[in-house]
Amino acid sequence: MTGLPLVDVSALLDPGASEVSTAAVGREVDAACRDTGFLLVTGHGIDRALRDDLEHLSREFFAQPEDAKAQIAMARGGLAWRGWFPVGGELTSGRPDQKEGVYFGTERDATDPRVLARPPLHGPNLFPAEPAELREVVLRWIDEVAALGQALLGGVALGLGLDRDWFARHLTADPTVLFRVFHYPPGDTDSWGVGEHTDYGLITLLAQDHHGGLQVRSRGAWIDVPADPYVFVVNIGDMLERMTRGGYRSNPHRVRNLSRADRLSFPLFLDPSWDATVTPLPETVFADLPDDDSAARWDGQSVHAWEGVYGDYLTAKVAKVFPGLAAAL
């Protein structure tokens, strides 16, 4: 019905699972990454009550007046690029999105070596005074969903014929973890909650409320993704496409909220370490493909021609999303 595979990943989270069962999950994940670049994940072990608390508290925050939400405006986060932005405050391909949101990430205090080095996107989170409980729920969500993401990358490694801990050893020992809470007001056929785009890193783990609106592009067509609050939508990002020489596809997606109700979504991005150099896997894993794929990309930029450390790639991308903040760098 959806064109997206449904994968039970419980074996990847079970220390007693057999190699046969974990390898089977790895093959399912690999097939999804080669085909659509998206999969629906069950058996993830994230407590339903935690997800429900996250939605309830997020709705409570977004229901406040703008001057209350502005107490944690992104401008107050400085280089960390954390905090709230209003509807239209984030751009996709230069056009304002019809959503508001809050940016979070790995919590780092002022004494953290990463913060002292002053790279963008590192630092303490900004949490609202009300609801005060949001802080604890968000930090717990980041920890638990990031751990799920590391387990899923173990499945990706198995599917690629690599050691299960390959990503942990080479790219995600100190991962870049970013988390967003997005609120989409009711829309119309002329506006996009977020326009066509791809994600930048390795994998994204998205939880939704029960209102649809997410579409993914596969095989030249847009597919509507069902909105199940307790099933994660997982997709791969540009760096995983780069690693696999285009064998895995970082396919575009977009959101249009046509319901008469507000919509919430909760994407967590599990990406390479800030200073990691992401290089293609050996040709024994994936045959070489043409380097220049820019003509087929939504942004006209090739992930295969790009070179550098992941932090530079991410900073350049986010600077286009928030040009006002980028001007302060």
Side-chain angles (χ1 to χ4, degrees):
M1 181 180 66
T2 67
L4 300 183
L6 186 69
V7 180
D8 182 338
V9 301
S10 55
L12 298 176
L13 303 168
D14 180 4
S18 68
E19 290 186 7
V20 171
S21 60
T22 54
V25 176
R27 288 192 296 271
E28 290 186 70
V29 172
D30 178 70
C33 291
R34 292 172 188 263
D35 184 13
T36 63
F38 280 78
L39 61 154
L40 305 177
V41 168
T42 63
H44 48 70
I46 302 297
D47 188 355
R48 289 188 172 209
L50 176 61
R51 199 223 66 90
D52 291 346
D53 286 345
L54 179 62
E55 178 175 342
H56 171 75
L57 294 168
S58 297
R59 289 193 182 281
E60 187 175 335
F61 170 75
F62 288 119
Q64 296 181 102
E66 289 212 348
D67 59 349
K69 291 181 285 190
Q71 296 303 308
I72 59 163
M74 289 188 74
R76 296 173 180 261
L79 284 175
W81 283 359
R82 308 286 171 87
W84 171 79
F85 65 88
V87 173
E90 184 172 15
L91 307 181
T92 301
S93 297
R95 309 179 91 179
D97 293 335
Q98 295 305 301
K99 70 176 188 298
E100 63 178 319
V102 189
Y103 271 42
F104 300 106
T106 301
E107 180 75 355
R108 299 179 186 271
D109 64 29
T111 64
D112 187 287
R114 286 286 191 194
V115 178
L116 292 173
R118 293 184 57 77
L121 298 164
H122 290 73
N125 289 296
L126 299 181
F127 291 102
E130 296 293 338
E133 301 89 345
L134 186 63
R135 175 190 178 92
E136 179 182 353
V137 169
V138 163
L139 293 179
R140 181 181 166 195
W141 183 268
I142 290 173
D143 286 346
E144 295 190 14
V145 178
L148 168 64
Q150 294 278 26
L152 277 169
L153 286 176
V156 171
L158 291 174
L160 290 171
L162 304 170
D163 292 337
R164 187 171 173 179
D165 65 348
W166 189 93
F167 284 93
R169 288 188 290 111
H170 293 279
L171 289 178
T172 60
D174 181 21
T176 304
V177 178
L178 302 173
F179 174 54
R180 316 291 189 232
V181 179
F182 290 142
H183 169 233
Y184 299 86
D188 55 51
T189 56
D190 295 323
S191 64
W192 288 100
V194 56
E196 178 181 352
H197 67 285
T198 59
D199 294 340
Y200 312 137
L202 292 173
I203 60 172
T204 303
L205 300 95
L206 171 73
Q208 308 178 80
D209 65 10
H210 60 284
H211 298 295
L214 174 63
Q215 296 180 327
V216 305
R217 188 166 180 83
S218 178
R219 307 183 199 96
W222 288 100
I223 301 170
D224 291 316
V225 178
D228 187 326
Y230 306 110
V231 173
F232 278 91
V233 182
V234 175
N235 65 278
I236 66 172
D238 294 346
M239 291 300 100
L240 199 47
E241 177 171 334
R242 174 174 168 78
M243 282 180 53
T244 58
R245 303 170 186 265
Y248 283 9
R249 302 300 299 177
S250 176
N251 277 331
H253 45 289
R254 63 190 185 184
V255 174
R256 175 175 275 159
N257 182 20
L258 295 179
S259 73
R260 296 182 179 180
D262 294 0
R263 177 182 184 271
L264 292 180
S265 69
F266 311 97
L268 182 138
F269 306 89
L270 180 61
D271 294 348
S273 301
W274 187 257
D275 54 0
T277 300
V278 182
T279 57
L281 292 167
E283 292 185 27
T284 53
V285 180
F286 275 96
D288 202 5
L289 295 174
D291 286 337
D292 188 0
D293 64 339
S294 57
R297 291 269 302 179
W298 67 280
D299 57 357
Q301 303 294 315
S302 173
V303 299
H304 306 295
W306 173 83
E307 293 184 359
V309 298
Y310 180 65
D312 291 342
Y313 184 83
L314 179 59
T315 300
K317 292 292 186 180
V318 177
K320 292 182 179 180
V321 172
F322 292 108
L325 290 174
L329 288 177

